[in-house]
Amino acid sequence: TEEVHAWAERFGLCAAGERLLDVKELPSYDDVNYHIRTAAGKDFVLKAHNGALPSGTLGRLRAQDNFIRRLRAQGLPAPDVVAAPDGRTVLPMSGAGAPKENQVAHVRILTY
């Protein structure tokens, strides 16, 4: 769960070194999902998307985010898309030292 904590920090859900109250893996099919609860008691879903699948591409995830925003703008109940401090809602898992499968994977967080 250290990786989950690191992602929560990158999205600004907790300060560096601040612990999450709860991290629980959720059932999923192609992706990896975690229910997380911050020290402030707020609940979120961290979604690690499999970028090797069409449903996990950056373009598809951005389209899903736009669709969620449109639903919410119409007053329909839908989770909210969480933006990182730099404004991005989808962050790449790639980077120095990341495993090969992470080079096309992405992470995003939604309200729970």
Side-chain angles (χ1 to χ4, degrees):
T1 60
E2 290 304 315
E3 288 181 77
V4 174
H5 286 270
W7 284 109
E9 285 180 22
R10 287 184 69 186
F11 274 91
L13 299 182
C14 58
E18 182 180 28
R19 303 300 297 167
L20 296 171
L21 291 180
D22 190 38
V23 176
K24 184 186 306 181
E25 189 168 355
L26 299 171
S28 60
Y29 184 69
D30 291 324
D31 305 320
V32 179
N33 301 303
Y34 292 93
H35 170 250
I36 58 177
R37 179 167 293 148
T38 66
K42 295 184 178 181
D43 294 308
F44 299 90
V45 175
L46 182 146
K47 302 179 70 60
H49 296 277
N50 183 347
L53 299 174
S55 62
T57 63
L58 182 57
R60 181 74 62 94
L61 298 176
R62 286 181 176 159
Q64 289 176 8
D65 286 353
N66 289 335
F67 185 69
I68 288 170
R69 286 189 194 101
R70 287 177 45 202
L71 291 174
R72 292 181 59 81
Q74 295 298 316
L76 296 169
D80 202 1
V81 178
V82 176
D86 66 4
R88 293 183 295 166
T89 59
V90 181
L91 300 179
M93 291 182 75
S94 62
K100 182 180 178 184
E101 59 271 11
N102 285 5
Q103 297 305 316
V104 294
H106 298 90
V107 171
R108 68 180 175 157
I109 295 181
L110 304 173
T111 56
Y112 186 78

